[in-house]
Amino acid sequence: MFNNRIRIKDLLATDKVNYSATVMGWVRTFRNNQFIALNDGSTINNIQIVATLGEFDEALLKRLTTGACIKATGEVIPSLGKGQKVELKATSIEILGDSDAETFPMQPKKHSLEFLRENAHMRFRTNTFGSVFRVRHTLAFAVHHFFNDKGFLYLHTPIITASDAEGAGEMFKVTTLPLDGTAPTNEDGSINFKEDFFGRSTNLTVSGQLEGELAAMAFSDIYTFGPTFRAENSNTTRHLAEFWMIEPEMAFYDLEDNANLAEEFIKYIIRYAMDNNADDLEFLNQRLADEEKQKPQTERSEMGLLEKLNFVVDNDFERLTYTEAIDILKNSNHNKKKKFQYLIEDWGTDLQSEHERYLVEKHFKKPVILTDYPKEIKSFYMRQNDDGKTVAAMDILAPGIGEIVGGSQREERLDKLTQRMKEMHVPADELWWYLDTRKFGACPHAGFGLGFERLVQFVTGMGNIRDVIPFPRYPKSAEF
Ligand code: ATP
Ligand code: MN
């Protein structure tokens, strides 16, 4: 048997000593020809391995370079070093994989996040990305934990679809037709997708919501958690071309039930990460504090990462309508002094992220649930309110991130839905299956979509969304 190792996390978790153990991992540093700091990714903490002077071959010691993979066996002994209870006094060290010190990209020094993004294949081996992806894992696990405990069914919605759920038209086409100009065409010269693999034009999904609603009309409560694709050419710190979305859909829920679930959900998974990734969050807290110190005083955030997370789980989210938000924004000094790039003048305009951030970061200083938006700026499936002007939509805005959740009560009344689809030029014939749920046993229902990476950003304090997904996809970038 090769793998009789103990994980470094488990080894460091106790102060048990005087037993033999084998660890495997990647060398972070090798000091004084004697002390190896080894990491196996199970924790941010390294185990110190002592290679007593004179007991090991010079040739072997030379190969203990940063990045090398080794197997070490020895006696677990009390550690005199600070910050660790135990260390390993090596009796044997075996090199599993050499790492050339000159060319290994992850030198034992501070690298910029941009550099690490260009070396995403190796960045897992840094403290920052180790922590980010351990936290990401925990959050993903907590998503399933939360919904499973609540009796929600995990529904797998298709990745290839023929519908554009958001109507935004920002989709990646899926086709097997040749791209060299020889694809079959219609009489008018357009591509004849009847000849394509699926016999129609298809794309990568922008949302699993419409399919999710179908299942909610049978299982009551479902959620999806899967990849989502948007061909939006937005080079922001909050947009990816490929991201993961969590979309619960619930029968017998109105907008308020929906907001309650979203708030409970966000608090639950943040708390779950705080309970299970304390070391990583401690590290990320310090990382962010150091980063903030580089900024001018006025741009620094008032709270540290852990302080912010504690604040969010301990306090109610602020709830208000779009109309109330417009009033606040319109009358704000920021607006009067023309500090917004897009000034708020009339009811009905869409909020830009500068407005969202003003509300969340300056005005309320906590997460905000905005409801009842003008129907013109929202999707066709949102339930129309009695005022004839607004729909039962909700967005949740988080400090530092802006929109993290978009959701609504869904329009369950067939006549209202089809009328709205007509107004918005949504092809009803293509969505016949969606409309069927409104014909056979319709009920009030609601749901939301939460962008998983934005949540990971929020919890880890990482400023750029490209740093919270292992292999980010964005305009002009699909390396790795
Ligand atoms: P935004 O206004 O920020 O572009 P949106 O209104 O397009 O968001 P929705 O269509 O409501 O977003 O999608 C639901 C959630 O998915 C959003 O609240 C956000 O958390 C996330 N999301 C949307 N687009 C992206 C993207 N390109 N990359 C990462 N997450 C995204
Ligand atoms: Mn968008």
Side-chain angles (χ1 to χ4, degrees):
M1 187 177 73
F2 177 72
N3 193 342
N4 56 350
R5 74 183 178 123
I6 178 169
R7 279 171 199 274
I8 291 170
K9 180 180 183 180
D10 298 331
L11 202 154
L12 294 176
T14 73
D15 42 21
K16 201 174 115 194
V17 286
N18 302 326
Y19 64 100
S20 167
T22 296
V23 292
M24 300 181 202
W26 294 267
V27 174
R28 283 293 174 84
T29 55
F30 183 42
R31 285 186 301 118
N32 300 348
N33 227 17
Q34 216 181 149
F35 303 110
I36 307 164
L38 195 73
N39 191 281
D40 67 1
S42 60
T43 160
I44 187 160
N45 300 308
N46 304 325
I47 179 87
Q48 170 151 292
I49 300 171
V50 186
T52 308
L53 286 173
E55 286 187 14
F56 293 89
D57 258 11
E58 251 338 286
L60 178 95
L61 296 178
K62 276 215 173 60
R63 293 169 66 194
L64 292 172
T65 51
T66 298
C69 187
I70 68 165
K71 170 180 180 179
T73 301
E75 185 79 358
V76 179
I77 57 169
S79 177
L80 300 176
K82 68 169 169 49
Q84 68 215 1
K85 287 176 263 186
V86 298
E87 59 190 36
L88 191 80
K89 189 174 176 324
T91 49
S92 92
I93 295 173
E94 190 185 324
I95 310 277
L96 300 178
D98 285 293
S99 170
D100 177 33
E102 299 285 300
T103 54
F104 180 54
M106 304 290 108
Q107 295 294 320
K109 63 162 199 183
K110 206 168 159 48
H111 291 292
S112 73
L113 293 173
E114 290 76 20
F115 172 85
L116 293 170
R117 218 172 287 142
E118 283 157 18
N119 289 277
H121 60 309
M122 289 284 163
R123 66 179 179 170
F124 297 124
R125 295 203 211 163
T126 64
N127 282 334
T128 297
F129 288 94
S131 287
V132 166
F133 292 116
R134 274 186 298 273
V135 172
R136 182 181 167 111
H137 160 81
T138 303
L139 291 169
F141 185 76
V143 168
H144 292 297
H145 210 306
F146 177 83
F147 286 120
N148 184 63
D149 282 359
K150 279 201 170 306
F152 281 54
L153 180 135
Y154 178 27
L155 186 82
H156 295 101
T157 49
I159 288 174
I160 301 174
T161 69
S163 57
D164 176 8
E166 287 304 312
E170 294 162 327
M171 298 178 297
F172 290 101
K173 275 222 166 328
V174 175
T175 181
T176 54
L177 291 176
L179 297 174
D180 57 4
T182 62
T185 53
N186 299 309
E187 273 165 18
D188 64 359
S190 61
I191 304 277
N192 181 5
F193 285 103
K194 287 206 179 72
E195 299 286 317
D196 202 354
F197 188 91
F198 297 105
R200 61 193 301 169
S201 164
T202 51
N203 51 270
L204 295 177
T205 183
V206 293
S207 160
Q209 178 201 318
L210 301 188
E211 289 90 351
E213 282 187 53
L214 309 180
M217 295 299 103
F219 298 107
S220 306
D221 302 310
I222 67 96
Y223 70 105
T224 72
F225 185 7
T228 307
F229 308 86
R230 297 201 183 164
E232 48 194 352
N233 201 359
S234 34
N235 274 297
T236 76
T237 55
R238 310 175 302 120
H239 288 90
L240 290 164
E242 175 178 307
F243 65 100
W244 286 65
M245 187 143 67
I246 298 147
E247 295 180 282
E249 244 354 277
M250 300 75 63
F252 324 119
Y253 265 56
D254 67 10
L255 189 64
E256 191 184 349
D257 298 318
N258 201 21
N260 290 345
L261 180 80
E263 181 168 345
E264 184 189 346
F265 171 63
I266 291 170
K267 287 177 172 171
Y268 175 93
I269 57 176
I270 292 176
R271 200 174 285 124
Y272 198 92
M274 293 172 83
D275 290 346
N276 290 279
N277 287 94
D279 288 347
D280 291 316
L281 289 175
E282 195 74 54
F283 172 81
L284 291 167
N285 185 58
Q286 191 55 50
R287 194 201 76 84
L288 188 64
D290 294 343
E291 195 180 86
E292 290 278 306
K293 273 187 217 141
Q294 313 293 321
K295 294 186 186 165
Q297 192 83 39
T298 49
E299 284 171 32
R300 292 183 201 167
S301 44
E302 287 168 30
M303 285 188 205
L305 178 64
L306 286 174
E307 202 183 344
K308 179 188 79 178
L309 296 179
N310 272 306
F311 181 82
V312 168
V313 297
D314 289 340
N315 286 281
D316 290 343
F317 293 6
E318 191 70 35
R319 299 188 189 194
L320 68 158
T321 64
Y322 164 90
T323 305
E324 290 165 335
I326 287 289
D327 279 342
I328 292 172
L329 289 167
K330 203 171 164 178
N331 296 320
S332 66
N333 278 332
H334 224 73
N335 200 51
K336 289 179 183 156
K337 290 190 187 151
K338 303 201 187 321
K339 281 202 202 150
F340 286 130
Q341 196 186 338
Y342 297 89
L343 294 181
I344 297 281
E345 274 149 21
D346 303 308
W347 188 93
T349 49
D350 205 354
L351 299 181
Q352 302 293 325
S353 84
E354 56 175 343
H355 307 129
E356 298 179 343
R357 296 186 70 154
Y358 178 86
L359 285 172
V360 172
E361 287 157 31
K362 297 258 172 351
H363 191 82
F364 291 112
K365 298 183 195 293
K366 53 153 84 167
V368 168
I369 309 184
L370 277 186
T371 60
D372 304 293
Y373 283 74
K375 64 179 180 189
E376 280 73 24
I377 58 172
K378 288 291 180 186
S379 301
F380 72 91
Y381 49 73
M382 298 189 176
R383 195 175 196 278
Q384 296 164 52
N385 289 329
D386 294 339
D387 61 11
K389 295 191 330 197
T390 60
V391 287
M394 67 168 197
D395 278 6
I396 302 187
L397 315 175
I401 308 285
E403 179 182 335
I404 192 164
V405 164
S408 70
Q409 186 170 338
R410 314 308 189 192
E411 183 57 82
E412 82 281 13
R413 298 162 297 185
L414 183 64
D415 54 333
K416 298 253 183 207
L417 182 60
T418 46
Q419 162 229 326
R420 194 74 193 123
M421 287 169 81
K422 210 176 271 160
E423 286 167 10
M424 297 180 75
H425 307 293
V426 179
D429 51 334
E430 280 176 26
L431 291 178
W432 62 272
W433 43 272
Y434 182 69
L435 292 171
D436 261 7
T437 54
R438 275 60 174 176
K439 294 181 188 160
F440 308 108
C443 72
H445 65 288
F448 62 84
L450 179 142
F452 186 57
E453 283 73 22
R454 295 212 185 150
L455 182 83
V456 182
Q457 267 191 288
F458 185 72
V459 175
T460 58
M462 298 301 284
N464 195 321
I465 198 164
R466 297 171 186 178
D467 295 331
V468 297
I469 188 164
F471 303 105
R473 299 285 178 259
Y474 50 93
K476 302 281 175 287
S477 173
E479 193 75 50
F480 314 110

